[in-house]
Protein backbone atom coordinates (compact mmCIF):
# COMPACT_ATOMS: atom_id res chain seq x y z
CA UNK A 1 0.00 0.00 0.00
CA UNK A 2 2.69 2.43 1.07
CA UNK A 3 4.86 1.38 -1.83
CA UNK A 4 2.08 2.32 -4.29
CA UNK A 5 1.72 5.71 -2.68
CA UNK A 6 5.44 6.17 -2.79
CA UNK A 7 5.68 5.50 -6.49
CA UNK A 8 2.79 7.89 -7.09
CA UNK A 9 4.39 10.70 -5.13
CA UNK A 10 7.77 9.93 -6.72
CA UNK A 11 6.50 11.33 -10.04
CA UNK A 12 8.45 14.48 -10.84
CA UNK A 13 6.34 17.63 -10.86
CA UNK A 14 5.24 18.85 -14.26
CA UNK A 15 7.91 20.76 -16.17
CA UNK A 16 5.99 23.99 -15.76
CA UNK A 17 5.60 23.76 -12.01
CA UNK A 18 9.19 22.65 -11.56
CA UNK A 19 10.46 25.53 -13.73
CA UNK A 20 8.30 28.04 -11.87
CA UNK A 21 9.45 26.72 -8.58
CA UNK A 22 13.12 26.78 -9.42
CA UNK A 23 12.83 30.29 -10.77
CA UNK A 24 11.66 31.47 -7.39
CA UNK A 25 13.69 29.32 -5.07
CA UNK A 26 16.93 30.51 -3.61
CA UNK A 27 18.01 27.14 -2.38
CA UNK A 28 17.82 25.62 -5.82
CA UNK A 29 19.96 28.43 -7.17
CA UNK A 30 22.43 28.07 -4.35
CA UNK A 31 22.58 24.33 -4.09
CA UNK A 32 21.70 23.16 -7.58
CA UNK A 33 20.26 20.09 -5.91
CA UNK A 34 17.84 18.70 -8.45
CA UNK A 35 19.63 15.37 -8.34
CA UNK A 36 19.15 15.18 -4.58
CA UNK A 37 15.45 15.93 -5.01
CA UNK A 38 14.96 13.18 -7.55
CA UNK A 39 16.65 10.59 -5.42
CA UNK A 40 14.71 11.69 -2.34
CA UNK A 41 11.43 11.32 -4.19
CA UNK A 42 12.47 7.88 -5.43
CA UNK A 43 13.15 6.53 -1.94
CA UNK A 44 10.79 3.73 -0.85
CA UNK A 45 8.20 4.96 1.63
CA UNK A 46 9.05 4.20 5.23
CA UNK A 47 6.30 3.49 7.69
CA UNK A 48 5.10 6.52 9.60
CA UNK A 49 6.06 6.74 13.28
CA UNK A 50 2.36 7.46 13.78
CA UNK A 51 1.71 3.91 12.57
CA UNK A 52 4.49 2.30 14.60
CA UNK A 53 7.44 2.94 12.24
CA UNK A 54 10.85 4.24 13.26
CA UNK A 55 11.01 7.98 13.97
CA UNK A 56 12.74 10.06 11.29
CA UNK A 57 14.32 12.38 13.86
CA UNK A 58 16.77 10.26 15.80
CA UNK A 59 18.15 12.76 18.30
CA UNK A 60 16.89 15.51 20.57
CA UNK A 61 18.25 19.05 20.14
CA UNK A 62 17.42 21.32 23.04
CA UNK A 63 18.34 24.96 23.22
CA UNK A 64 20.44 25.43 26.33
CA UNK A 65 20.63 28.49 28.56
CA UNK A 66 21.35 31.42 26.29
CA UNK A 67 23.38 33.53 28.74
CA UNK A 68 26.48 33.02 30.87
CA UNK A 69 29.86 34.62 31.45
CA UNK A 70 29.56 37.57 29.04
CA UNK A 71 26.23 38.60 30.62
CA UNK A 72 27.60 37.99 34.15
CA UNK A 73 30.58 40.22 33.40
CA UNK A 74 28.36 43.07 32.19
CA UNK A 75 25.91 42.69 35.09
CA UNK A 76 28.77 42.71 37.59
CA UNK A 77 30.07 45.92 36.03
CA UNK A 78 26.56 47.36 36.28
CA UNK A 79 26.41 46.51 39.98
CA UNK A 80 29.44 48.74 40.59
CA UNK A 81 27.58 51.77 39.24
CA UNK A 82 25.90 54.42 41.36
CA UNK A 83 23.11 54.96 38.79
CA UNK A 84 21.06 52.61 36.66
CA UNK A 85 19.45 55.27 34.46
CA UNK A 86 19.97 54.89 30.72
CA UNK A 87 21.03 58.38 29.68
CA UNK A 88 24.83 58.29 29.22
CA UNK A 89 24.90 55.07 31.28
CA UNK A 90 28.02 52.96 30.55
CA UNK A 91 26.04 49.78 29.78
CA UNK A 92 23.71 51.62 27.44
CA UNK A 93 26.64 53.37 25.77
CA UNK A 94 28.48 50.08 25.18
CA UNK A 95 25.30 48.35 24.06
CA UNK A 96 24.55 51.06 21.49
CA UNK A 97 28.13 50.92 20.19
CA UNK A 98 27.77 47.19 19.64
CA UNK A 99 24.29 47.61 18.16
CA UNK A 100 25.67 50.06 15.60
CA UNK A 101 28.27 47.49 14.55
CA UNK A 102 25.40 45.12 13.72
CA UNK A 103 23.06 47.76 12.32
CA UNK A 104 25.06 50.81 11.27
CA UNK A 105 22.61 53.65 11.87
CA UNK A 106 23.43 57.17 13.03
CA UNK A 107 20.78 57.41 15.76
CA UNK A 108 19.50 54.64 18.03
CA UNK A 109 17.24 54.66 21.05
CA UNK A 110 16.93 51.70 23.41
CA UNK A 111 13.42 51.09 24.67
CA UNK A 112 11.18 48.71 26.57
CA UNK A 113 9.95 46.48 23.71
CA UNK A 114 9.70 46.01 19.97
CA UNK A 115 6.19 47.44 20.23
CA UNK A 116 7.66 50.56 21.86
CA UNK A 117 10.35 50.78 19.14
CA UNK A 118 7.65 50.75 16.48
CA UNK A 119 5.55 53.34 18.30
CA UNK A 120 8.59 55.62 18.60
CA UNK A 121 9.39 55.20 14.88
CA UNK A 122 5.81 55.96 13.89
CA UNK A 123 5.59 58.99 16.18
CA UNK A 124 8.97 60.31 15.01
CA UNK A 125 7.75 59.97 11.41
CA UNK A 126 5.02 62.47 12.26
CA UNK A 127 2.18 60.01 11.78
CA UNK A 128 -1.03 61.28 13.31
CA UNK A 129 -4.84 61.07 13.32
CA UNK A 130 -6.34 59.60 10.15
CA UNK A 131 -2.99 58.88 8.46
CA UNK A 132 -2.75 55.48 6.82
CA UNK A 133 0.12 53.05 7.35
CA UNK A 134 0.39 50.03 5.07
CA UNK A 135 1.71 46.86 6.65
CA UNK A 136 1.49 43.09 6.82
CA UNK A 137 -1.53 41.24 8.22
CA UNK A 138 0.68 38.35 9.38
CA UNK A 139 2.71 39.77 12.20
CA UNK A 140 2.71 40.33 15.93
CA UNK A 141 0.07 42.87 16.93
CA UNK A 142 2.96 44.98 18.26
CA UNK A 143 3.59 46.08 14.66
CA UNK A 144 0.42 48.17 14.67
CA UNK A 145 -0.17 49.08 18.31
CA UNK A 146 1.83 52.30 17.95
CA UNK A 147 0.02 53.15 14.71
CA UNK A 148 -3.33 52.86 16.47
CA UNK A 149 -2.13 54.81 19.51
CA UNK A 150 -1.15 57.64 17.15
CA UNK A 151 -4.81 57.55 16.00
CA UNK A 152 -3.58 56.45 12.59
CA UNK A 153 -5.06 53.63 10.50
CA UNK A 154 -3.31 50.34 9.71
CA UNK A 155 -4.01 49.19 6.15
CA UNK A 156 -3.14 45.56 5.55
CA UNK A 157 -1.63 44.55 2.20
CA UNK A 158 -1.36 41.03 0.89
CA UNK A 159 1.75 38.87 0.95
CA UNK A 160 4.04 36.81 -1.25
CA UNK A 161 2.84 33.20 -1.30
CA UNK A 162 6.13 31.71 -0.06
CA UNK A 163 8.08 34.70 1.29
CA UNK A 164 5.18 35.67 3.62
CA UNK A 165 6.33 39.27 3.23
CA UNK A 166 4.58 42.31 1.73
CA UNK A 167 3.77 41.99 -1.96
CA UNK A 168 4.99 45.34 -3.35
CA UNK A 169 2.35 45.38 -6.11
CA UNK A 170 -0.44 45.04 -3.56
CA UNK A 171 1.19 47.67 -1.34
CA UNK A 172 1.14 50.11 -4.24
CA UNK A 173 -2.51 49.33 -5.00
CA UNK A 174 -3.39 50.32 -1.43
CA UNK A 175 -1.63 53.70 -1.45
CA UNK A 176 -4.09 56.61 -1.09
CA UNK A 177 -3.61 60.35 -0.52
CA UNK A 178 -3.81 59.55 3.21
CA UNK A 179 -0.94 57.02 3.19
CA UNK A 180 2.05 58.24 5.17
CA UNK A 181 4.17 55.15 5.77
CA UNK A 182 4.86 51.50 5.04
CA UNK A 183 5.93 49.15 7.81
CA UNK A 184 7.84 46.29 6.21
CA UNK A 185 7.79 43.26 8.50
CA UNK A 186 10.70 40.88 7.87
CA UNK A 187 8.65 37.86 8.89
CA UNK A 188 10.67 35.00 10.36
CA UNK A 189 13.81 37.04 9.72
CA UNK A 190 13.36 36.84 5.94
CA UNK A 191 14.15 40.23 4.38
CA UNK A 192 11.30 41.95 2.53
CA UNK A 193 11.77 43.15 -1.04
CA UNK A 194 13.17 46.42 0.29
CA UNK A 195 14.25 47.93 -3.03
CA UNK A 196 10.73 47.62 -4.39
CA UNK A 197 9.16 48.94 -1.18
CA UNK A 198 11.65 51.82 -1.00
CA UNK A 199 10.88 52.73 -4.62
CA UNK A 200 7.15 52.87 -3.76
CA UNK A 201 7.91 54.92 -0.65
CA UNK A 202 10.05 57.37 -2.62
CA UNK A 203 7.50 57.66 -5.42
CA UNK A 204 4.65 58.48 -3.04
CA UNK A 205 6.75 60.35 -0.44
CA UNK A 206 6.13 57.78 2.28
CA UNK A 207 8.26 56.79 5.23
CA UNK A 208 9.57 53.23 5.11
CA UNK A 209 9.84 51.68 8.57
CA UNK A 210 11.44 48.25 8.88
CA UNK A 211 9.96 45.94 11.50
CA UNK A 212 13.11 43.91 12.16
CA UNK A 213 11.79 42.39 15.39
CA UNK A 214 12.30 38.85 14.08
CA UNK A 215 15.30 39.67 11.89
CA UNK A 216 18.35 40.15 14.13
CA UNK A 217 21.45 39.55 11.97
CA UNK A 218 19.52 39.26 8.69
CA UNK A 219 20.97 40.75 5.51
CA UNK A 220 19.25 42.29 2.53
CA UNK A 221 21.41 41.86 -0.61
CA UNK A 222 24.41 41.64 1.71
CA UNK A 223 23.47 44.80 3.60
CA UNK A 224 22.61 44.70 7.33
CA UNK A 225 18.87 44.56 7.88
CA UNK A 226 17.45 47.89 9.00
CA UNK A 227 19.64 50.12 6.84
CA UNK A 228 17.48 50.48 3.72
CA UNK A 229 14.33 51.93 5.32
CA UNK A 230 14.12 55.35 6.97
CA UNK A 231 14.02 53.69 10.38
CA UNK A 232 14.19 50.23 11.86
CA UNK A 233 12.78 48.54 14.95
CA UNK A 234 14.10 45.51 16.81
CA UNK A 235 12.57 43.45 19.62
CA UNK A 236 14.57 41.99 22.50
CA UNK A 237 11.66 39.96 23.84
CA UNK A 238 12.55 36.55 25.27
CA UNK A 239 11.77 34.52 22.13
CA UNK A 240 14.00 36.64 19.86
CA UNK A 241 17.49 35.75 18.60
CA UNK A 242 18.99 37.88 21.38
CA UNK A 243 17.12 39.14 24.42
CA UNK A 244 17.07 40.82 27.79
CA UNK A 245 13.66 39.38 28.66
CA UNK A 246 11.83 42.34 27.16
CA UNK A 247 13.27 45.29 25.32
CA UNK A 248 13.71 46.96 21.96
CA UNK A 249 15.88 49.31 19.91
CA UNK A 250 14.78 51.81 17.28
CA UNK A 251 17.32 53.23 14.85
CA UNK A 252 17.53 55.66 11.95
CA UNK A 253 20.14 57.47 9.89
CA UNK A 254 17.60 59.92 8.50
CA UNK A 255 18.18 63.46 9.79
CA UNK A 256 14.43 64.11 9.79
CA UNK A 257 13.55 61.24 12.12
CA UNK A 258 16.74 60.03 13.85
CA UNK A 259 17.14 63.04 16.17
CA UNK A 260 13.52 62.59 17.34
CA UNK A 261 13.82 58.97 18.46
CA UNK A 262 15.20 59.84 21.91
CA UNK A 263 12.37 62.26 22.67
CA UNK A 264 9.61 59.94 21.52
CA UNK A 265 10.96 57.18 23.74
CA UNK A 266 11.44 59.43 26.75
CA UNK A 267 8.24 61.36 27.55
CA UNK A 268 8.97 63.97 24.89
CA UNK A 269 11.96 65.26 26.82
CA UNK A 270 15.04 66.27 24.82
CA UNK A 271 17.86 65.15 27.11
CA UNK A 272 20.67 66.67 25.07
CA UNK A 273 19.09 70.10 24.94
CA UNK A 274 16.78 70.05 27.98
CA UNK A 275 14.09 72.71 27.86
CA UNK A 276 10.32 72.61 27.48
CA UNK A 277 8.22 69.89 25.96
CA UNK A 278 7.69 70.43 22.26
CA UNK A 279 6.29 66.96 21.75
CA UNK A 280 4.17 64.56 23.75
CA UNK A 281 5.21 60.96 24.26
CA UNK A 282 5.16 58.10 26.71
CA UNK A 283 7.97 56.58 28.79
CA UNK A 284 9.47 53.67 26.86
CA UNK A 285 12.93 53.82 28.44
CA UNK A 286 15.22 50.82 28.89
CA UNK A 287 17.38 50.79 32.03
CA UNK A 288 21.03 49.84 32.60
CA UNK A 289 20.47 46.24 33.81
CA UNK A 290 18.70 45.37 30.55
CA UNK A 291 21.30 47.24 28.49
CA UNK A 292 24.06 45.27 30.26
CA UNK A 293 22.46 41.98 29.16
CA UNK A 294 21.90 43.22 25.61
CA UNK A 295 25.52 44.43 25.34
CA UNK A 296 26.64 40.88 26.12
CA UNK A 297 23.98 39.22 23.95
CA UNK A 298 25.10 41.27 20.95
CA UNK A 299 28.49 39.49 21.08
CA UNK A 300 26.63 36.21 20.47
CA UNK A 301 24.52 37.43 17.58
CA UNK A 302 26.66 36.61 14.55
CA UNK A 303 27.08 32.97 15.61
CA UNK A 304 23.33 32.66 16.25
CA UNK A 305 22.30 34.36 13.00
CA UNK A 306 24.72 32.47 10.77
CA UNK A 307 23.84 29.11 12.32
CA UNK A 308 20.10 29.65 11.89
CA UNK A 309 20.62 30.86 8.32
CA UNK A 310 22.61 27.74 7.49
CA UNK A 311 20.13 25.33 9.10
CA UNK A 312 17.05 26.91 7.53
CA UNK A 313 18.61 26.95 4.07
CA UNK A 314 19.65 23.33 4.54
CA UNK A 315 16.06 22.36 5.30
CA UNK A 316 14.97 24.03 2.07
CA UNK A 317 17.64 22.17 0.10
CA UNK A 318 16.41 18.90 1.49
CA UNK A 319 12.69 19.37 0.81
CA UNK A 320 12.79 21.37 -2.41
CA UNK A 321 10.91 19.73 -5.26
CA UNK A 322 8.82 17.57 -2.94
CA UNK A 323 5.37 17.42 -4.56
CA UNK A 324 2.76 19.45 -2.69
CA UNK A 325 5.30 21.14 -0.41
CA UNK A 326 6.22 24.83 -0.80
CA UNK A 327 9.47 25.61 1.05
CA UNK A 328 10.20 28.96 2.68
CA UNK A 329 11.31 31.24 -0.16
CA UNK A 330 14.39 33.38 0.43
CA UNK A 331 16.16 35.55 -2.15
CA UNK A 332 19.55 33.96 -2.98
CA UNK A 333 21.45 37.15 -2.10
CA UNK A 334 19.70 37.62 1.26
CA UNK A 335 20.40 36.14 4.66
CA UNK A 336 17.23 34.89 6.34
CA UNK A 337 17.83 34.20 10.03
CA UNK A 338 14.79 31.93 10.47
CA UNK A 339 13.11 33.09 13.64
CA UNK A 340 11.20 30.04 12.56
CA UNK A 341 10.96 28.11 9.29
CA UNK A 342 7.60 28.17 7.54
CA UNK A 343 6.56 25.89 4.69
CA UNK A 344 3.18 25.42 3.08
CA UNK A 345 1.36 22.35 1.86
CA UNK A 346 -0.95 22.37 -1.13
CA UNK A 347 -4.23 20.93 0.20
CA UNK A 348 -5.06 19.11 -3.06
CA UNK A 349 -1.73 17.28 -3.09
CA UNK A 350 -2.49 15.24 0.04
CA UNK A 351 -5.10 12.82 1.28
CA UNK A 352 -4.99 14.37 4.73
CA UNK A 353 -5.61 17.81 6.16
CA UNK A 354 -2.94 20.00 7.71
CA UNK A 355 -3.77 18.90 11.26
CA UNK A 356 -3.11 15.28 10.34
CA UNK A 357 0.08 16.22 8.47
CA UNK A 358 1.35 18.04 11.57
CA UNK A 359 0.30 15.18 13.85
CA UNK A 360 2.32 12.77 11.72
CA UNK A 361 5.33 15.13 11.78
CA UNK A 362 5.10 15.44 15.54
CA UNK A 363 5.10 11.64 15.84
CA UNK A 364 8.38 11.66 13.86
CA UNK A 365 9.72 14.05 16.56
CA UNK A 366 9.93 16.91 14.07
CA UNK A 367 9.40 20.22 15.95
CA UNK A 368 6.41 21.41 13.92
CA UNK A 369 3.10 23.11 14.57
CA UNK A 370 0.22 24.33 12.41
CA UNK A 371 0.24 27.97 11.27
CA UNK A 372 1.45 31.02 13.15
CA UNK A 373 -1.07 33.62 14.32
CA UNK A 374 -4.59 32.21 14.01
CA UNK A 375 -5.99 34.77 11.53
CA UNK A 376 -4.71 37.85 9.69
CA UNK A 377 -4.63 40.72 12.21
CA UNK A 378 -7.59 42.60 10.74
CA UNK A 379 -9.78 39.55 11.33
CA UNK A 380 -9.25 39.72 15.10
CA UNK A 381 -12.37 40.85 17.01
CA UNK A 382 -10.86 44.15 18.15
CA UNK A 383 -10.36 45.14 14.49
CA UNK A 384 -13.66 43.71 13.28
CA UNK A 385 -15.46 45.72 15.98
CA UNK A 386 -13.26 48.82 15.56
CA UNK A 387 -13.05 48.82 19.35
CA UNK A 388 -9.48 49.96 20.07
CA UNK A 389 -10.17 52.54 22.76
CA UNK A 390 -12.63 51.31 25.39
CA UNK A 391 -14.68 49.73 22.62
CA UNK A 392 -14.56 52.86 20.43
CA UNK A 393 -12.39 54.21 17.62
CA UNK A 394 -12.41 58.01 17.66
CA UNK A 395 -10.90 58.55 14.19
CA UNK A 396 -13.75 56.59 12.65
CA UNK A 397 -16.39 58.29 14.79
CA UNK A 398 -15.03 61.72 13.79
CA UNK A 399 -14.93 60.80 10.10
CA UNK A 400 -11.14 60.82 9.74
CA UNK A 401 -11.26 57.32 8.26
CA UNK A 402 -13.85 55.16 6.52
CA UNK A 403 -11.85 52.02 7.23
CA UNK A 404 -14.07 48.98 7.73
CA UNK A 405 -11.95 45.97 8.72
CA UNK A 406 -14.93 43.63 8.29
CA UNK A 407 -14.58 44.24 4.52
CA UNK A 408 -10.76 44.14 4.38
CA UNK A 409 -9.44 41.29 2.19
CA UNK A 410 -5.97 39.70 2.07
CA UNK A 411 -6.64 36.29 0.43
CA UNK A 412 -3.04 35.10 0.20
CA UNK A 413 -2.44 35.88 3.87
CA UNK A 414 -5.55 33.87 4.76
CA UNK A 415 -4.30 30.95 2.67
CA UNK A 416 -0.80 31.13 4.17
CA UNK A 417 -2.18 30.83 7.68
CA UNK A 418 -4.43 27.91 6.69
CA UNK A 419 -1.74 25.91 4.90
CA UNK A 420 1.49 26.92 6.66
CA UNK A 421 3.47 24.63 8.92
CA UNK A 422 5.92 26.13 11.34
CA UNK A 423 9.22 24.38 12.06
CA UNK A 424 11.27 25.45 15.06
CA UNK A 425 14.83 26.42 14.14
CA UNK A 426 17.38 27.32 16.77
CA UNK A 427 21.12 27.51 17.14
CA UNK A 428 21.24 24.44 19.38
CA UNK A 429 20.33 22.27 16.38
CA UNK A 430 22.81 20.72 13.97
CA UNK A 431 22.84 19.55 10.35
CA UNK A 432 22.09 15.95 11.25
CA UNK A 433 19.02 17.01 13.20
CA UNK A 434 17.77 19.13 10.28
CA UNK A 435 18.35 16.15 7.96
CA UNK A 436 16.05 14.17 10.27
CA UNK A 437 13.40 16.90 10.18
CA UNK A 438 13.59 16.98 6.37
CA UNK A 439 13.28 13.21 6.26
CA UNK A 440 10.18 13.46 8.45
CA UNK A 441 8.60 15.96 6.04
CA UNK A 442 9.46 13.79 3.02
CA UNK A 443 8.17 10.67 4.72
CA UNK A 444 4.86 12.24 5.74
CA UNK A 445 4.42 13.92 2.33
CA UNK A 446 5.02 10.63 0.51
CA UNK A 447 2.68 8.73 2.78
CA UNK A 448 -0.24 11.09 2.32
CA UNK A 449 0.42 11.99 -1.34
CA UNK A 450 -2.90 12.19 -3.22
C1 LIG B 1 7.28 41.15 13.76
C2 LIG B 1 7.12 41.65 15.15
N1 LIG B 1 6.88 42.95 15.35
C3 LIG B 1 6.75 43.46 16.58
C4 LIG B 1 6.86 42.68 17.70
C5 LIG B 1 6.67 43.28 19.04
O1 LIG B 1 7.80 43.12 19.83
P1 LIG B 1 7.66 43.04 21.43
O2 LIG B 1 7.03 41.74 21.77
O3 LIG B 1 9.09 43.14 21.90
O4 LIG B 1 6.86 44.20 21.84
C6 LIG B 1 7.13 41.31 17.56
C7 LIG B 1 7.24 40.41 18.72
O5 LIG B 1 7.09 39.21 18.61
C8 LIG B 1 7.25 40.78 16.25
O6 LIG B 1 7.49 39.48 16.06
Amino acid sequence: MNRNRSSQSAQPPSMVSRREFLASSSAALVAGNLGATKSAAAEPAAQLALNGGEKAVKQACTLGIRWGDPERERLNAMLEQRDLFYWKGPQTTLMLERFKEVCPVKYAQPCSSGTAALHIAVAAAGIGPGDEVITSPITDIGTVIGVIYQQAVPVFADLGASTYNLDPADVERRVTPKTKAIIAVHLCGNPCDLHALKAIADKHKLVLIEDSAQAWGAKYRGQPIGTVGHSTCFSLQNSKHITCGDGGIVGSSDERFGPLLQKFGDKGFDRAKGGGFLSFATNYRMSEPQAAVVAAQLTRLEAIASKRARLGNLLTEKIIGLPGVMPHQVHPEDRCVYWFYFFRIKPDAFRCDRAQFVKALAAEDAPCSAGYISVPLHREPVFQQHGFFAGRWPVREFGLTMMDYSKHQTPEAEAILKTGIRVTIHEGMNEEYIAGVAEAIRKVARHYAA
Side-chain angles (χ1 to χ4, degrees), residues 17 27 39 69 82 91 93 128 179 259 344 348 428:
S17 65
S39 61
D69 286 343
R82 297 186 70 86
Q91 306 309 322
T93 304
T179 309
R344 291 177 68 182
D348 294 348

Side-chain angles (χ1 to χ4, degrees), residues 101-125:
E101 284 165 17
V102 169
C103 179
V105 285
K106 186 161 176 202
Y107 302 92
Q109 174 73 3
C111 54
S112 55
S113 65
T115 304
L118 281 144
H119 191 177
I120 294 167
V122 166

Side-chain angles (χ1 to χ4, degrees), residues 58-240:
K58 310 276 187 242
Q59 52 168 328
C61 263
T62 48
L63 182 60
I65 292 177
R66 294 182 288 155
W67 26 88
D69 286 343
E71 288 74 13
R72 199 168 286 119
E73 185 199 313
R74 284 290 95 226
L75 286 167
N76 283 339
M78 180 272 295
L79 288 174
E80 301 297 317
Q81 295 172 203
R82 297 186 70 86
D83 295 302
L84 299 182
F85 190 61
Y86 91 100
W87 183 250
K88 296 201 187 301
Q91 306 309 322
T92 303
T93 304
L94 176 65
M95 183 274 277
L96 288 177
E97 262 171 43
R98 289 181 179 171
F99 171 75
K100 288 178 184 180
E101 284 165 17
V102 169
C103 179
V105 285
K106 186 161 176 202
Y107 302 92
Q109 174 73 3
C111 54
S112 55
S113 65
T115 304
L118 281 144
H119 191 177
I120 294 167
V122 166
I127 287 159
D131 292 342
E132 293 179 2
V133 176
I134 301 175
T135 193
S136 167
I138 300 187
T139 183
D140 182 88
I141 193 166
T143 302
V144 295
I145 285 175
V147 175
I148 294 167
Y149 269 103
Q150 288 303 111
Q151 307 300 331
V153 179
V155 173
F156 297 99
D158 217 342
L159 306 177
S162 298
T163 61
Y164 322 121
N165 283 334
L166 283 175
D167 167 9
D170 198 52
V171 168
E172 186 143 35
R173 275 194 288 277
R174 295 185 198 240
V175 172
T176 73
K178 289 180 161 186
T179 309
K180 289 284 157 44
I182 300 167
I183 301 181
V185 180
H186 305 301
L187 198 77
C188 303
N190 187 22
C192 291
D193 185 349
L194 286 170
H195 284 155
L197 294 173
K198 185 68 168 26
I200 295 167
D202 290 346
K203 181 172 157 196
H204 298 279
K205 299 195 171 20
L206 313 176
V207 181
L208 179 62
I209 298 169
E210 295 184 49
D211 180 343
S212 311
Q214 303 181 0
W216 282 103
K219 295 207 168 123
Y220 174 74
R221 310 295 190 266
Q223 202 175 321
I225 207 73
T227 54
V228 175
H230 297 104
S231 55
T232 183
C233 306
F234 290 87
S235 166
L236 290 157
Q237 186 268 335
N238 188 60
S239 66
K240 300 307 186 305

